[in-house]
Amino acid sequence: MAFLELSHVKKSFGQVHVVKDFDMAIEKGEFISFLGPSGCGKTTVLRMIAGFETVSSGTITIGGHDLTDLKPNQRNIGMVFQAYALFPNMTVGQNVAFGLKVAGKPKAEIDVTVKEMLDLIHLGHLIDRFPYQLSGGQQQRVALARALAIRPRVLLLDEPLSALDAKIRVSLREEIRSIQRKLGITTIFVTHDQEEALSISDRIVVMNEGRADQIGTPFEIYNFPRTRFVASFVGTLNILPGHVADGASGRIEIDGQAVHACRDLARLTGRSACTVALRPEAIRLGTAGDGANHLTGKIEEVSFLGAVLRVRVRLADHAISLDMFNNPGVAPPERGSPATVTFAREDVLIVEEAA
Amino acid sequence: MNLKKIGAWTAIAVGVIYFIVPLIGTFEFSLRMRRGEYSLDAYESVFSDVRFHATFGYSGLMAVLTIIFGMLLVVPTAYWVRLRLPQLRPVVEFVTLLPLVIPAIVVVFGYLRIYNSSSYLPFTASERATDILLMGSYMMLSLPYMYRSVDTAMRTIDVRTLTEAAESLGAGWTTILFKCIFPNVMSGVLAGSFITFAIVMGEFTMASLLDRPAFGPYLQLIGANKAYEPSALAIIAFLITWVSMGLLQVVSRFGKARPART
Ligand SMILES: Nc1ncnc2c1ncn2[C@@H]1O[C@H](COP(=O)(O)OP(=O)(O)OP(=O)(O)O)[C@@H](O)[C@H]1O
Ligand SMILES: [Mg+2]
């Protein structure tokens, strides 16, 4: 049995169903990200785990114990908020000590733990500062130390980095991840930034309209999106409608041109239309040997992104984007010229429409 | 531009004259108890009056008690409304404003009807109980100011997130209220306290009709029977108010200098 389990969790606010049948099992020590667009229910699921919202139905268990009837202050779950939420009247040290004091720990032990936590976030020298004397990044690190000081069973972070500027976001997310590894604490990290989720998670839960569309490692999520939503939300995939010519052998037509797939063929049986996803970096200009797929069209747009060039090729009704490495020795393709693109059969992903 | 400036200065001058001149007149008069020269005899006379000490002490004590119990009522209420009943805020605000529109005399007659010695809650039966009733009435009178200043201070902190942060760290609601909320609305609590102090020290109607030995009725009594002392008392009363208001300014500056969040 997994350490943290949510089974058939639902949440409605009045008539509005915000979370619909959410299932998830997290192992001890895992780092999980919730990824999804604004309003898809990420915060709501997190708040139900923390106990700030009741579940409408379903159960949440930690280590086999049902949490449903426990108040937030009985759950021993650490929480880090987007707005830091440090107590303005307390110093850094007092903030970190707060949970330990509430738990009635002896003073000597509190002092040791506070020091240990502040060393962990490299802010030991700021112990007597007040929150308003700290930068945003420092405040968020203190908030993290405060949440970790009570040795919570699970750590929840709700978009902890979105109030910070880009550079600090990257360095702090790596710091969070390394602290998490060091302590081996089971963590859920909410974000709507796909790069953030892909770079630090063990597994990602891609959420869409109150459901978990796909749960998997960053590798699986990025390379093999299961649904159209996941494909379009994670990365910049080409999403194209296909006509199923022969489901069993994986023959599809895109804008009238034949393409072969060798993956996810089960999703083609008994259907006449499907949705095809192609990663831009899996496509090349030109032709290739046996078995590869070819599509012909016209170069519509070339954008220079630095290390890569993004080229858009128009087929008939639809266009396809591909990435090629920038090579100073080769002139970029010209707009308006005819072009053939090629990609392997394994790179043709058949994705599900939204459930 | 220039004309505007002149207009503004004229308005200020008129205001200053309107307020300051009577005050100077009163002050000047309070110094003339001794024939032919200025002296502080009137003040001496006031300060040596035992009733001054008794009533001033009584009202001061009432003010402190009113502030303590008022804040114990107002802070948790404002907190709860912000946290759990935001839709009730307009209603609560309206209720706290009622003391401003209902004359004190009406309220006190209501008290006397409901809490008289033959009622179920005979607050007026003993002096101690009447003191409690009087304190209750002061709490009501100061409610608009206390609630507003506390609520304003609460606006500067994120009450809900702070509460949730404290809860997730294991705190119960008394800890949250007294360790996490109260200290952060202290500027509002103090501001409300100074206004309350000023109100209670000068209040006449309630104390007089409930027949308690407060400072307000004493002022009235002296005013009706002496010549120079009332002026001295008026100046003293003004000073109390001003000191309260001055402290309020200091406190609100202090509160602003330490923003809750960046
Ligand atoms: N207390 C509430 N009452 C009514 N509706 C709510 C409440 N809390 C959240 N919702 C609704 O639930 C939906 C999901 O909200 P939630 O905050 O979980 O989204 P989110 O995925 O965290 O979005 P974001 O990325 O913007 O933070 C939203 O449509 C929101 O309007
Ligand atoms: Mg959210």
Side-chain angles (χ1 to χ4, degrees):
Chain A
M1 187 175 199
F3 181 62
L4 170 60
E5 284 204 350
L6 284 81
S7 57
H8 304 295
V9 170
K10 295 189 183 115
K11 178 71 188 177
S12 320
F13 293 106
Q15 293 300 309
V16 192
H17 302 294
V18 172
V19 176
K20 306 160 192 160
D21 212 19
F22 191 89
D23 269 305
M24 188 180 66
I26 300 178
E27 297 302 329
K28 201 164 183 151
E30 254 192 311
F31 192 110
I32 299 283
S33 289
F34 284 3
L35 177 65
S38 191
C40 69
K42 306 181 294 289
T43 299
T44 307
V45 173
L46 214 63
R47 290 171 59 80
M48 286 191 288
I49 298 173
F52 301 134
E53 305 281 0
T54 54
V55 294
S56 300
S57 71
T59 56
I60 301 175
T61 60
I62 291 187
H65 297 288
D66 195 341
L67 290 185
T68 317
D69 293 329
L70 290 183
K71 294 208 177 76
N73 59 7
Q74 303 167 324
R75 294 192 181 197
N76 194 23
I77 287 178
M79 181 105 184
V80 174
F81 301 84
Q82 183 178 346
Y84 322 136
L86 293 178
F87 304 122
N89 57 312
M90 299 180 200
T91 63
V92 166
Q94 288 166 338
N95 264 286
V96 177
F98 183 82
L100 301 164
K101 266 200 192 132
V102 167
K105 293 266 168 20
K107 189 172 179 323
E109 187 190 328
I110 292 179
D111 289 347
V112 171
T113 312
V114 168
K115 190 172 174 310
E116 192 184 318
M117 287 298 141
L118 289 180
D119 286 345
L120 200 61
I121 56 162
H122 311 297
L123 290 182
H125 56 294
L126 300 182
I127 185 165
D128 290 324
R129 291 261 190 105
F130 281 94
Y132 73 95
Q133 298 169 313
L134 302 180
S135 73
Q138 290 171 333
Q139 290 189 55
Q140 196 57 296
R141 274 144 77 194
V142 174
L144 179 68
R146 180 180 68 178
L148 291 171
I150 57 167
R151 308 254 170 234
R153 292 184 288 179
V154 175
L155 177 66
L156 308 175
L157 305 112
D158 191 357
E159 305 200 24
L161 306 176
S162 50
L164 303 171
D165 66 56
K167 260 211 180 116
I168 309 228
R169 259 206 312 263
V170 173
S171 68
L172 191 48
R173 82 183 181 210
E174 279 155 13
E175 197 170 337
I176 290 175
R177 176 58 159 153
S178 86
I179 290 171
Q180 184 269 340
R181 279 218 175 92
K182 205 180 287 179
L183 302 181
I185 184 167
T186 313
T187 301
I188 301 179
F189 182 99
V190 167
T191 178
H192 55 240
D193 179 340
Q194 51 129 336
E195 188 207 320
E196 209 164 274
L198 290 169
S199 63
I200 57 173
S201 321
D202 287 321
R203 283 193 298 156
I204 297 174
V205 179
V206 183
M207 288 187 63
N208 179 25
E209 294 182 352
R211 278 199 190 83
D213 252 31
Q214 188 171 359
I215 302 180
T217 63
F219 184 85
E220 288 165 359
I221 297 279
Y222 187 80
N223 290 318
F224 311 112
R226 205 169 57 80
T227 67
R228 181 198 175 100
F229 174 79
V230 176
S232 61
F233 193 75
V234 180
T236 44
L237 275 76
N238 293 292
I239 309 275
L240 301 160
H243 174 77
V244 181
D246 179 4
S249 69
R251 201 154 60 82
I252 306 164
E253 278 171 13
I254 295 174
D255 272 4
Q257 304 186 47
V259 162
H260 285 86
C262 63
R263 222 182 253 295
D264 310 319
L265 294 185
R267 290 191 190 134
L268 294 178
T269 43
R271 307 181 63 170
S272 63
C274 65
T275 304
V276 175
L278 284 167
R279 273 173 293 117
E281 65 268 29
I283 309 171
R284 267 165 301 134
L285 275 182
T287 55
D290 282 352
N293 287 306
H294 294 105
L295 291 171
T296 57
K298 233 191 210 166
I299 306 251
E300 186 176 60
E301 184 73 68
V302 180
S303 23
F304 188 66
L305 305 179
V308 295
L309 292 175
R310 175 150 300 171
V311 180
R312 196 163 72 222
V313 176
R314 173 143 304 266
L315 306 175
D317 295 334
H318 300 92
I320 198 165
S321 289
L322 63 100
D323 284 353
M324 50 193 284
F325 280 111
N326 172 36
N327 181 351
V330 177
E334 248 176 72
R335 278 179 54 196
S337 57
T340 303
V341 298
T342 178
F343 46 92
R345 293 188 173 194
E346 298 80 57
D347 287 322
V348 178
L349 306 172
I350 312 293
V351 297
E352 285 169 14
E353 286 296 322
Chain B
M1 170 69 198
N2 237 344
L3 215 63
K4 244 188 196 170
K5 244 186 188 168
I6 292 171
W9 281 111
T10 315
I12 290 175
V14 169
V16 166
I17 291 168
Y18 183 79
F19 283 109
I20 299 287
V21 169
L23 211 63
I24 294 177
T26 308
F27 182 60
E28 199 261 0
F29 185 71
S30 75
L31 298 177
R32 288 191 6 191
M33 194 163 176
R34 199 176 297 172
R35 229 166 249 281
E37 57 174 320
Y38 285 144
S39 71
L40 293 173
D41 284 4
Y43 293 88
E44 240 164 66
S45 159
V46 166
F47 286 127
S48 61
D49 185 352
V50 274
R51 284 173 305 169
F52 173 81
H53 292 278
T55 56
F56 196 87
Y58 178 85
S59 283
L61 180 65
M62 287 308 263
V64 170
L65 291 176
T66 304
I67 288 165
I68 293 173
F69 286 98
M71 284 305 169
L72 284 178
L73 173 74
V74 166
V75 176
T77 306
Y79 169 65
W80 200 248
V81 169
R82 274 198 173 264
L83 190 66
R84 290 288 145 81
L85 307 165
Q87 69 277 16
L88 273 190
R89 259 188 78 198
V91 180
V92 174
E93 286 204 343
F94 177 75
V95 170
T96 62
L97 280 178
L98 283 179
L100 291 183
V101 288
I102 302 177
I105 189 96
V106 174
V107 175
V108 80
F109 273 113
Y111 281 170
L112 289 173
R113 272 197 83 98
I114 293 185
Y115 300 124
N116 66 50
S117 44
S118 58
S119 73
Y120 292 110
L121 281 169
F123 268 115
T124 54
S126 79
E127 287 189 353
R128 280 296 81 79
T130 315
D131 287 342
I132 294 174
L133 184 61
L134 183 61
M135 191 194 75
S137 70
Y138 286 159
M139 274 167 66
M140 183 214 60
L141 280 183
S142 56
L143 200 56
Y145 311 101
M146 283 207 199
Y147 186 84
R148 227 138 298 267
S149 55
V150 168
D151 196 53
T152 307
M154 263 182 206
R155 195 174 308 155
T156 64
I157 58 172
D158 186 346
V159 170
R160 191 170 139 170
T161 316
L162 285 186
T163 301
E164 290 177 351
E167 271 186 301
S168 73
L169 294 166
W173 75 268
T174 39
T175 311
I176 297 176
L177 201 53
F178 287 102
K179 294 269 169 67
C180 308
I181 302 298
F182 241 111
N184 290 313
V185 295
M186 214 52 204
S187 65
V189 169
L190 287 175
S193 301
F194 292 128
I195 301 182
T196 304
F197 190 82
I199 291 174
V200 173
M201 290 314 285
E203 205 284 330
F204 170 76
T205 318
M206 300 278 184
S208 168
L209 286 170
L210 291 174
D211 195 25
R212 299 308 301 142
F215 192 54
Y218 171 73
L219 286 182
Q220 193 273 338
L221 182 76
I222 298 297
N225 296 302
K226 298 265 174 93
Y228 297 99
E229 285 87 343
S231 305
L233 276 170
I235 296 295
I236 293 169
F238 259 109
L239 282 179
I240 294 170
T241 312
W242 282 352
V243 168
S244 295
M245 294 301 153
L247 287 173
L248 196 155
Q249 287 298 322
V250 171
V251 165
S252 55
R253 290 264 165 75
F254 178 70
K256 266 183 218 123
R258 282 182 50 179
R261 291 194 288 153
T262 42

